[in-house]
Amino acid sequence: MSGHDSDTPNREAPLLRSRSGLGWGLLGVVAFSFTVPLTRITVEAERMPPLFVGSGRAVVAAILAACALSLTRQRVPRGRQWVSVAIVAAGAVAGFPLLTSFALTEAPASHGAVVIALLPAATAVVAVLRTRERPARSFWIAAGTGAVAAVGFAAVQSGGLGRLHGADVLLFAAVIVCAIAYAEGGVLARDLGSWQTISWALVVAAPVMAALAGVSATEQPPTGTLTEWASFAYLSVFSMFLGFVAWYRGLAIGPIAQISQVQLVQPVLSICWAGVLLQEQIHQTTLLGGAAVITCALIAVRSRNPRSRGVPA
């Protein structure tokens, strides 16, 4: 067998893994793209307190996760893995839902998408620090350009960023804690499993989130409409559980820094859903900005790690 023949499978394997990670990542992003507009729908009329929405959806997802873990008899995390589970629980299960729920009582969905568009770049930075990945220069150029394009088009769509206020602080904090949770969860998922990672994080956070939901329901019983409860159900099942199953699967296949850039597409989708569900106007800038964001995302995920070129994954 010639050297060329023997090298072919090695070159195909990383490509297949990259495409698989990209597919799972995109599936998770589509699920997440409904989160901002549906959260806005749930808390906008103040019939459902943001504390109840942010914590209650985690409780519902934790019940689903506990059932899945029990039925499939998954192994319990060990040693250092519990620290990673706690980080994921603090950032993705508690921090992001609670912070965005409070922020979106004031900020419209399109404005929330402006700040959350920074999440892929933040995740890439944390991933580099956490995993010592060293993406190619083209990756950083595409990632940076994509972040600027995402923020720029979303800002135009929402009428400008304006002055920094309380909701912006909460949204920036949500981006930071979620980026840390994404990077840590991506690493943990390689050993523990994708859906197992978010499931254990949900279970760990369940007692605290249940207590918060109980306090909120006692102080102000939720009296949402059918639409608001349906939005809450989606946030609980898809945004908090099934979406993370797909997302962490993609990050586990990795590389984390590249797969994280798929989320640059999320603000495009979120504003489209905001236009459909919240009747927010969508201008031609959405199409132009969306095309720029998606192009940059594709370039970023196709970029190669210079240290691993020619080396099988």
Side-chain angles (χ1 to χ4, degrees):
M1 181 179 293
S2 67
H4 175 74
D5 292 336
S6 62
D7 190 51
T8 300
N10 289 340
R11 293 187 179 182
E12 289 180 353
L15 180 59
L16 292 175
R17 293 181 75 253
S18 177
R19 289 177 178 176
S20 177
L22 177 60
W24 283 107
L26 281 173
L27 187 60
V29 164
V30 171
F32 293 151
S33 67
F34 287 94
T35 300
V36 170
L38 291 183
T39 300
R40 176 67 176 171
I41 289 175
T42 307
V43 302
E44 183 177 16
E46 300 182 352
R47 286 184 287 263
M48 300 184 71
L51 179 59
F52 175 82
V53 173
S55 57
R57 73 197 215 188
V59 174
V60 175
I63 295 174
L64 298 176
C67 292
L69 290 171
S70 177
L71 291 174
T72 57
R73 298 182 180 181
Q74 296 298 311
R75 68 178 178 87
V76 177
R78 295 171 294 181
R80 176 65 173 74
Q81 290 180 337
W82 281 115
V83 177
S84 297
V85 169
I87 293 174
V88 175
V93 177
F96 188 82
L98 289 172
L99 291 169
T100 53
S101 293
F102 278 101
L104 291 171
T105 59
E106 301 178 8
S110 56
H111 186 85
V114 172
V115 180
I116 295 176
L118 299 174
L119 184 55
T123 303
V125 172
V126 176
V128 167
L129 297 175
R130 175 64 178 84
T131 67
R132 297 182 181 181
E133 291 180 359
R134 293 296 182 267
R137 181 180 300 178
S138 60
F139 163 80
W140 291 113
I141 294 175
T145 304
V148 171
V151 173
F153 107 87
V156 171
Q157 179 68 28
S158 62
L161 289 172
R163 294 187 302 175
L164 189 67
H165 50 79
D168 290 312
V169 174
L170 294 176
L171 289 169
F172 277 117
V175 167
I176 293 173
V177 299
C178 194
I180 295 173
Y182 278 177
E184 190 67 29
V187 174
L188 179 60
R190 292 172 176 173
D191 295 326
L192 194 60
S194 55
W195 70 269
Q196 294 91 334
T197 295
I198 187 59
S199 294
W200 283 114
L202 287 164
V203 170
V204 166
V208 175
M209 303 305 279
L212 292 175
V215 170
S216 177
T218 301
E219 293 180 351
Q220 182 183 344
T223 58
T225 63
L226 180 61
T227 299
E228 291 167 350
W229 279 111
S231 299
F232 176 81
Y234 181 93
L235 295 172
S236 302
V237 177
F238 291 92
S239 296
M240 287 300 298
F241 186 58
L242 295 182
F244 275 111
V245 171
W247 179 243
Y248 278 130
R249 173 62 177 166
L251 291 178
I253 295 173
I256 295 175
Q258 275 85 343
I259 299 301
S260 69
Q261 297 311 292
V262 176
Q263 204 168 25
L264 285 168
V265 181
Q266 185 171 328
V268 181
L269 297 175
S270 294
I271 289 182
C272 289
W273 306 145
V276 174
L277 300 174
L278 300 171
Q279 287 76 52
E280 295 183 7
Q281 292 185 350
I282 299 179
H283 304 285
Q284 292 182 350
T285 53
T286 300
L287 300 178
L288 296 176
V293 169
I294 293 173
T295 299
C296 292
L298 290 175
I299 294 174
V301 298
R302 286 175 62 86
S303 65
R304 291 291 185 267
N305 186 327
R307 291 186 179 182
S308 62
R309 285 177 179 173
V311 179

